Amino acid sequence: MDGIQSILKFLTNQKNVIGYSFMALLTVGGERLFSLVAFRCPCSTENLTYGLVFLFAPAWVLLIIGYFLNTRMWRLFTGCCVNPRKIFPKGNSCHFFYVFGQITLNALVAPVMWLSVALLNGTFYECAMSGTKNPNFLDMICKDKSTECRQELHKVACGKTTMPSTDTHELKLSLQAQSQILGWCMISMTAFFSLLTTCYVRCRSKISHLQMKFWKTYADQEKEQFDKTFQEYAARLSERNLKCFFENKRPDAFPMPTFEAWEAASELYSFNRTQQHYSTLHRVVEAGQETVNQDTETALDFVDNQAAVV
């Protein structure tokens, strides 16, 4: 029993790593499925458009899905048309761009994975670049090749050229090598940028490593308890209403947060050095129903950023 609990605890602590690993496996599987089932290079003048669509369209769709699935996105934008001050608070209008930048970085994980895997495979890039008419690229790729190279480069992906088989094979290998180089460059730059931004955020942190670890633990526990309490109160309220409806009697009073409390608890949290609050809910509970005026510091926006790793 202790062994099972230890395994569950380990999996819970490593949920971000497991989640990204699962996303990577889905990306690899999706790319292979697209390549084998849906992708058919036309080997014509449409190669460039066709290849680029298969390379970038799924990445764009994954980016949109990333925005849709990010809860911080909807906490930020819900009600913003009615109350623009929600996303552009007085005295700190830049906070919106900071939070939206964090949301965008999280949403970019899946598209970057797709582009990296697709470039490492090389199928889409090979088809796209074989249809290019750029003279500089043609001079480079067709150097020391037969004279038919420029006219029949778009047929290389299908292997239907009249060029010697060695030239066709070398062209395919060259295009695939270029694609893989771009893929590894993207992976390297993404890893370096992630390390750089993580180091910058940690260097700008106003709290210690142990307090940040406690903060994340609290945020996870609060979210878990919040979901349970939602279910419990919704069940109790629906039970009361149904009972009163069928028994035809007036309902008893049911304590609920005010509209102002709901609005305040729905805001994205920002760190404040003068008050040791660990979430927006914590701040609202401590302050009661009063409006909280806080000196927002955008250097650390940890509680709502569940992707942070301690």
Side-chain angles (χ1 to χ4, degrees):
M1 193 66 182
D2 293 338
I4 296 176
Q5 291 180 346
S6 299
I7 294 174
L8 292 176
K9 184 177 180 181
F10 173 79
L11 294 176
T12 302
N13 293 336
Q14 302 297 323
K15 61 182 180 180
N16 286 325
V17 176
I18 295 173
Y20 284 130
S21 300
F22 182 69
M23 187 186 300
L25 289 175
L26 285 179
T27 304
V28 173
E31 193 277 336
R32 292 304 301 164
L33 185 65
F34 266 70
S35 299
L36 296 175
V37 177
F39 186 76
R40 294 291 184 272
C41 188
C43 294
S44 66
T45 55
E46 298 178 352
N47 280 17
L48 181 62
T49 303
Y50 187 83
L52 291 179
V53 165
F54 268 82
L55 187 61
F56 290 105
W60 175 250
V61 173
L62 289 172
L63 178 64
I64 295 174
I65 293 175
Y67 279 125
F68 266 111
L69 297 181
N70 195 310
T71 56
R72 301 180 73 212
M73 177 83 170
W74 306 118
R75 292 188 68 178
L76 180 65
F77 282 101
T78 300
C80 66
C81 293
V82 179
N83 182 19
R85 284 293 182 187
K86 184 176 181 181
I87 59 175
F88 295 110
K90 187 177 180 180
N92 193 12
S93 299
C94 294
H95 184 59
F96 164 78
F97 299 103
Y98 174 79
V99 175
F100 188 72
Q102 288 184 323
I103 295 171
T104 301
L105 287 176
N106 289 333
L108 280 172
V109 172
V112 169
M113 284 186 178
W114 168 270
L115 289 174
S116 300
V117 172
L119 288 172
L120 288 177
N121 186 32
T123 305
F124 304 147
Y125 179 91
E126 177 188 346
C127 178
M129 297 310 293
S130 65
T132 185
K133 298 299 182 182
N134 184 283
N136 294 327
F137 179 80
L138 291 175
D139 290 339
M140 179 192 70
I141 199 73
C142 292
K143 185 179 180 181
D144 300 328
K145 299 294 186 299
S146 60
T147 56
E148 294 86 0
C149 177
R150 289 175 175 271
Q151 288 75 30
E152 298 187 3
L153 183 61
H154 61 273
K155 298 180 180 180
V156 166
C158 301
K160 296 180 180 179
T161 68
T162 59
M163 293 184 290
S165 58
T166 54
D167 286 356
T168 303
H169 184 65
E170 287 178 4
L171 288 170
K172 287 176 66 70
L173 291 179
S174 180
L175 291 171
Q176 291 175 1
Q178 292 174 17
S179 179
Q180 291 174 347
I181 290 172
L182 289 175
W184 280 115
C185 287
M186 175 171 285
I187 293 173
S188 301
M189 288 188 295
T190 302
F192 178 73
F193 179 75
S194 299
L195 176 63
L196 200 63
T197 52
T198 302
C199 290
Y200 175 77
V201 171
R202 292 305 175 92
C203 289
R204 297 274 298 179
S205 174
K206 303 295 192 301
I207 62 176
S208 65
H209 176 76
L210 287 178
Q211 188 178 9
M212 185 178 290
K213 191 172 184 178
F214 172 80
W215 200 343
K216 185 177 187 299
T217 302
Y218 171 84
D220 292 338
Q221 290 295 320
E222 183 187 85
K223 184 178 183 303
E224 181 179 345
Q225 294 297 325
F226 206 73
D227 293 339
K228 290 181 180 178
T229 305
F230 259 38
Q231 294 289 337
E232 178 185 343
Y233 267 76
R236 286 170 53 189
L237 181 59
S238 62
E239 181 182 358
R240 186 206 68 164
N241 293 340
L242 288 169
K243 186 176 181 180
C244 292
F245 175 76
F246 282 105
E247 295 180 0
N248 194 23
K249 66 178 184 179
R250 298 293 299 173
D252 298 328
F254 193 88
M256 290 286 287
T258 63
F259 284 104
E260 292 77 11
W262 281 113
E263 182 69 22
S266 298
E267 295 176 357
L268 287 171
Y269 185 75
S270 298
F271 178 63
N272 188 337
R273 294 184 66 187
T274 61
Q275 299 170 332
Q276 194 170 192
H277 297 151
Y278 293 108
S279 71
T280 303
L281 184 64
H282 187 188
R283 187 192 70 204
V284 171
V285 170
E286 293 285 350
Q289 304 299 321
E290 300 174 359
T291 303
V292 180
N293 293 320
Q294 64 170 0
D295 180 20
T296 303
E297 299 184 16
T298 59
L300 180 62
D301 196 358
F302 174 75
V303 171
D304 289 307
N305 187 6
Q306 295 300 322
V309 179
V310 176

